[in-house]
Structures are given as structure tokens and as C-alpha cells.
Amino acid sequence: MPEGATGQGGLKADLVQPFLLESSGIRGRLLRLENVCDRILARHDYPEPVARLLAEMLALCGGLASLIKYDGVFTLQASGDGPLRMLVVDVTSEGEMRGYAGFDQARIEQLIAGLDAPPTVPQLFGKGHLAFTVDHQGSHSDRYQGIVALTGDTLADCLQHYFMQSEQLQSGIVLAAGRRGPHWLSAALVLQRLPEEAIHAIEDEDDWRRAMVLQASVREDELLDDSLGFSDLLFRLFHEEGVRVFEPRALTDGCRCSRQKLENVLKSMPRGEIEDLKTDGAVEVTCQFCTQVYRFDDDDLARIYGD
């Protein structure tokens, strides 16, 4: 049984549940992140709106990644010239997730102080873009990337715009993020209309409109409620459409940084530049994602540079 499953059809934390609406051939993903989301956010002291948006991005990335086949890394990155400079989340084909936000603390505080409601994506990012990247690894290594302007007040709006502009796929996305006590959790419900050449073609526009209405009826508290099994929630939403569920996929918190990777980076830099980076006789490098600190003293540097 996948990690996070409770049995008896009640799936809980850190899982993405693929499903199909049999009456129309619309495919979907229902995802909830508890341990993964909380651990990633707990490593950084993010302001509330930044933490919430990163939590949503984690759920969104996990859901979208499960819609495609790849062997490598799926990355979703938003960047702009506003107080929130960057959000980046990636997930490997094995289900290991990580995420990071880069922001200007003073500008974030100034923005929040001048608002009566939570800030929108344009207010946080300013002028920016959204990038969707798939790095395939193995014997057939290659990269696919799509970029689109950040258009819409929410991440869901931006991604739906991306799919329509870049992939010509109609998508419906609902995201939720919040706290249970001090702990962060997030969730996503994603529907996607398959292209006409797919096995299950949609011939009636009413099917898609009805699915969008049903999806919109889901409440944020339902998406985040770990006492509500995925099967129960999907049945409540789509029982008239006929819901077929498939094997769920477990997601985990995992960073890909390593001492060896950093040694390779240092080796590619001029030795003089490295010397200038020393503090107390050593170079220290901190991973932006997991905050792991790697220290390289003179003996380490001599070995790296072959002195």
C-alpha cells in the first residue's frame, strides 16, 4: 500500500490520485500534501502570503507532473520583478519534491501593509513569466520547456492560461492551502480535457462545462480535510459522471543537492574566486532548497583543485 494510505479506499496525506470521468473521458488528478508541504515550508521563515503561494505551487506541480510521462525532473517556476522574485518547485519521476521562494522582505512587508485582502499574483510578482520544464534523463536526455506570461490573479488562472496558449488543452484547476495549527498543508484538483486524437474524445461541449461546474463546487476545507478520503470526495463531486480511479502515487520530500555536485561546481570556478569566498578559512555553501550547509576547508579545496 502506498505511503499515506489508510486502507478501505480512504487515502490521506502526500498522495496524488489519478482518475477518469468515464462519461466524457476527462482525466483528473486529486492531490493532498501534508508532511511534504509542511517540511518544505518549515525550513524557511517565509511571510504568510509567500508561504501560502509556495504551498499552492507544491500541490500544483505535483498534480501536473502526474499528468505526463517522463523520466527525470518536472519543474514549475514563476519569476518576476515584484516583491516575490521567484517560486520554483520540482518533482522527480520517483516522486521526490522540493521547493523554494526568493523574495524581498522589505517590499513584501510594504505590500502587505497597504492591502486589505491577500495579495494577488500580479501584486506579488509584478511583471513576470511562468516556465514549465521537463528534463528527461537516461539514454535519451533532452529538455522540453514552455514559457508564458503570468496572466491571472491566481496560480490556477496562470496555469490555465498557459495550457490554452501553449498546449491547446482546456484545464480546470482548483488549489487550496492553509494551516492546521502551526503546520502547512495544500491540495489540488485538476481536470484536463483530452485532445481529440486521444482514446476518449469529447464530442459534447456540455460535458466539459458540467465538469467545470462540479469541480467549482468543491470547498477548500474539503480539499484539505485528511479525514475525507479521496474516493469519498470524488464520488461526492462526480458520481453522476462515473469516476474510475487508478493506482495512487506517493510523493515525498527530497532534495537532490550533494557534496559531490557542489565540488563539481567549485571545480568549474577559478581558484582565485573561491579564495575570495572564504570565511574563517573555509568556503560554506548553503542549499537554497533544503538549507543544508556544506563546508569546504583548505584540504578539501586542495583535493578538488588537485593541488
Side-chain angles (χ1 to χ4, degrees):
M1 183 177 294
E3 180 183 353
T6 63
Q8 304 300 318
L11 304 179
K12 293 184 67 175
D14 304 322
L15 288 171
V16 55
Q17 173 67 70
F19 64 92
L20 181 73
L21 304 186
E22 293 187 302
S23 66
S24 59
I26 295 172
R27 61 177 177 171
R29 298 293 186 270
L30 178 58
L31 173 146
R32 187 180 293 137
L33 296 175
E34 297 187 30
N35 297 326
V36 169
C37 183
D38 191 54
R39 289 171 183 169
I40 290 174
L41 268 63
R43 296 188 180 105
H44 302 270
D45 185 19
Y46 292 126
E48 180 80 11
V50 175
R52 184 173 298 277
L53 206 60
L54 180 55
E56 290 184 0
M57 187 87 134
L58 285 163
L60 181 59
C61 187
L64 294 180
S66 69
L67 286 166
I68 63 176
K69 293 182 179 180
Y70 66 101
D71 180 14
V73 182
F74 175 96
T75 303
L76 197 59
Q77 179 171 330
S79 57
D81 59 6
L84 180 54
R85 298 188 300 270
M86 178 184 67
L87 277 185
V88 58
V89 174
D90 63 36
V91 57
T92 69
S93 45
E94 288 75 34
E96 290 186 336
M97 300 193 75
R98 62 180 187 173
Y100 172 74
F103 61 97
D104 184 314
Q105 181 74 39
R107 293 179 67 190
I108 289 286
E109 291 175 357
Q110 183 180 18
L111 173 65
I112 296 172
L115 296 176
D116 295 327
T120 63
V121 165
Q123 289 171 328
L124 285 167
F125 280 106
K127 184 178 180 180
H129 66 270
L130 182 72
F132 166 113
T133 308
V134 182
D135 285 304
H136 293 281
Q137 300 174 355
S139 58
H140 301 288
S141 299
D142 61 4
R143 164 179 276 212
Y144 166 81
Q145 185 174 60
I147 299 177
V148 68
L150 281 171
T151 304
D153 286 344
T154 67
L155 280 178
D157 292 339
C158 295
L159 259 294
Q160 286 166 172
H161 175 73
Y162 168 83
F163 278 116
M164 284 302 296
Q165 294 296 313
S166 303
E167 304 294 328
Q168 288 77 53
L169 290 174
Q170 286 182 302
S171 299
I173 301 170
V174 175
L175 302 175
R179 292 179 184 266
R180 183 181 299 127
H183 303 294
W184 279 99
L185 62 159
S186 59
L189 177 59
V190 181
L191 295 180
Q192 197 163 76
R193 180 175 179 174
L194 298 175
E196 291 184 356
E197 65 270 23
I199 296 176
H200 299 286
I202 300 176
E203 298 179 359
D204 190 347
E205 284 291 330
D206 288 342
D207 288 336
W208 179 250
R209 287 193 289 268
R210 185 169 61 253
M212 290 296 93
V213 170
L214 295 172
Q215 182 191 43
S217 72
V218 71
R219 303 191 310 271
E220 181 173 298
D221 64 296
E222 290 177 312
L223 286 173
L224 298 177
D225 184 1
D226 67 353
S227 68
L228 179 59
F230 283 7
S231 295
D232 294 334
L233 179 54
L234 289 174
F235 180 79
R236 186 192 77 73
L237 292 171
F238 303 115
H239 63 277
E240 293 183 356
E241 312 303 299
V243 183
R244 182 193 302 175
V245 297
F246 303 93
E247 185 68 21
R249 179 191 184 195
L251 296 169
T252 59
D253 164 32
C255 189
R256 301 190 306 282
C257 70
S258 71
R259 190 174 185 85
Q260 183 59 55
K261 288 181 179 179
L262 290 174
E263 287 187 5
N264 292 337
V265 172
L266 293 177
K267 192 173 183 179
S268 69
M269 300 173 64
R271 180 65 184 269
E273 292 184 14
I274 299 301
E275 291 295 327
D276 293 338
L277 296 175
K278 281 185 177 180
T279 302
D280 296 329
V283 176
E284 289 191 350
V285 182
T286 302
C287 176
Q288 289 183 316
F289 288 94
C290 69
T291 69
Q292 173 72 40
V293 178
Y294 296 89
R295 189 174 190 274
F296 300 90
D297 58 22
D298 287 335
D299 290 339
D300 294 322
L301 295 176
R303 174 178 51 80
I304 291 170
Y305 285 94
D307 294 351

